[in-house]
Amino acid sequence: KAGVTQTPRYLIKTRGQQVTLSCSPISGHRSVSWYQQTPGQGLQFLFEYFSETQRNKGNFPGRFSGRQFSNSRSEMNVSTLELGDSALYLCASSFGLGGLSTNEKLFFGSGTQLSVL
Amino acid sequence: QKEVEQDPGPLSVPEGAIVSLNCTYSNSAFQYFMWYRQYSRKGPELLMYTYSSGNKEDGRFTAQVDKSSKYISLFIRDSQPSDSATYLCAMSAGGTSYGKLTFGQGTILTVHP
């Protein structure tokens, strides 16, 4: 069974540009979550999508946005890039069905390493 | 103060040692507790998943949760050089906290032959 796939693996951008990252979840998973990982702040939750709807959102500015398609694939967009946006962006997928069973088990991709110059 | 506190280490142990990794937390709403392992330039890999208090064992790994003390632990027995990685604790309140895990800072572990 294929894991979570993120593309591209590496990106270099300059300040003020925008960037789009892509994530394909594990087959059968309908929930996709996005995280930012930096040495200083660690892993921080950005947002979660399920059936093309954002269900949960972290404390990031509006420059960070996302969407999900009908096949559960998701994209994350960052506009007007700042130097501080340099980070590893991780996508995670799960069944997202709620309840007390397996919905909280998140499986992560290898991430997209974004460098902003 | 962070919701989840984890000693960043680094921790260096000889092969075969028992490793103890710990996290404390302040949010009493957390009820799902996880440990992830992250190798350099890779995403976190789920190691252990526990709901509420208690112990869970999987091979060389044992996870413990003490909700009364807001304290979780991961024990690695017979540690191997391949266990060298960053270990992250993560927690969730469940319910409508869809997709949101709160992570510790991670502990860097090196197991030397």
Side-chain angles (χ1 to χ4, degrees):
Chain A
K1 198 173 188 179
V4 178
T5 304
Q6 291 188 247
T7 57
R9 189 73 180 88
Y10 300 95
L11 264 179
I12 299 175
K13 293 286 187 179
T14 57
R15 278 186 306 172
Q17 287 187 310
Q18 74 166 11
V19 66
T20 299
L21 313 180
S22 181
C23 173
S24 293
I26 291 170
S27 178
H29 284 185
R30 294 169 62 189
S31 169
V32 173
S33 303
W34 288 90
Y35 285 79
Q36 181 195 67
Q37 186 175 27
T38 59
Q41 297 299 317
L43 272 149
Q44 293 185 288
F45 173 72
L46 281 155
F47 31 66
E48 185 262 5
Y49 284 86
F50 180 83
S51 291
E52 303 177 66
T53 301
Q54 187 182 89
R55 291 194 302 187
N56 202 1
K57 187 177 185 302
N59 297 323
F60 278 82
R63 300 186 296 108
F64 293 82
S65 63
R67 60 177 177 169
Q68 186 180 35
F69 303 95
S70 59
N71 62 357
S72 294
R73 191 178 69 85
S74 177
E75 289 182 346
M76 191 192 93
N77 185 77
V78 187
S79 62
T80 319
L81 284 166
E82 300 177 359
L83 296 179
D85 297 333
S86 295
L88 180 66
Y89 289 89
L90 293 158
C91 160
S93 77
S94 71
F95 291 107
L97 297 175
L100 301 178
S101 58
T102 62
N103 67 303
E104 301 295 338
K105 289 183 181 176
L106 298 190
F107 297 90
F108 284 84
S110 292
T112 295
Q113 183 67 55
L114 172 65
S115 297
V116 182
L117 307 179
Chain B
Q1 184 186 3
K2 290 181 181 288
E3 279 189 291
V4 180
E5 297 281 357
Q6 182 177 7
D7 186 341
L11 189 60
S12 180
V13 301
E15 183 175 355
I18 297 174
V19 176
S20 173
L21 305 167
N22 311 293
C23 289
T24 59
Y25 63 95
S26 57
N27 188 345
S28 58
F30 289 145
Q31 53 181 332
Y32 296 90
F33 304 90
M34 287 137 274
W35 286 94
Y36 283 85
R37 176 175 63 193
Q38 186 174 24
Y39 292 113
S40 181
R41 300 192 190 92
K42 295 288 188 182
E45 170 195 11
L46 182 63
L47 276 177
M48 301 290 284
Y49 173 92
T50 310
Y51 168 64
S52 195
S53 285
N55 294 358
K56 186 173 184 179
E57 188 173 321
D58 185 2
R60 297 185 296 111
F61 299 91
T62 299
Q64 290 184 349
V65 174
D66 181 349
K67 290 188 70 178
S68 61
S69 302
K70 296 189 177 64
Y71 187 88
I72 72 169
S73 301
L74 177 71
F75 297 94
I76 307 174
R77 290 182 299 281
D78 188 25
S79 56
Q80 303 295 310
S82 59
D83 294 328
S84 299
T86 297
Y87 289 79
L88 297 147
C89 62
M91 307 177 189
S92 171
T96 57
S97 299
Y98 300 114
K100 181 180 179 182
L101 298 180
T102 303
F103 283 86
Q105 281 292 101
T107 299
I108 300 170
L109 172 67
T110 301
V111 181
H112 51 86

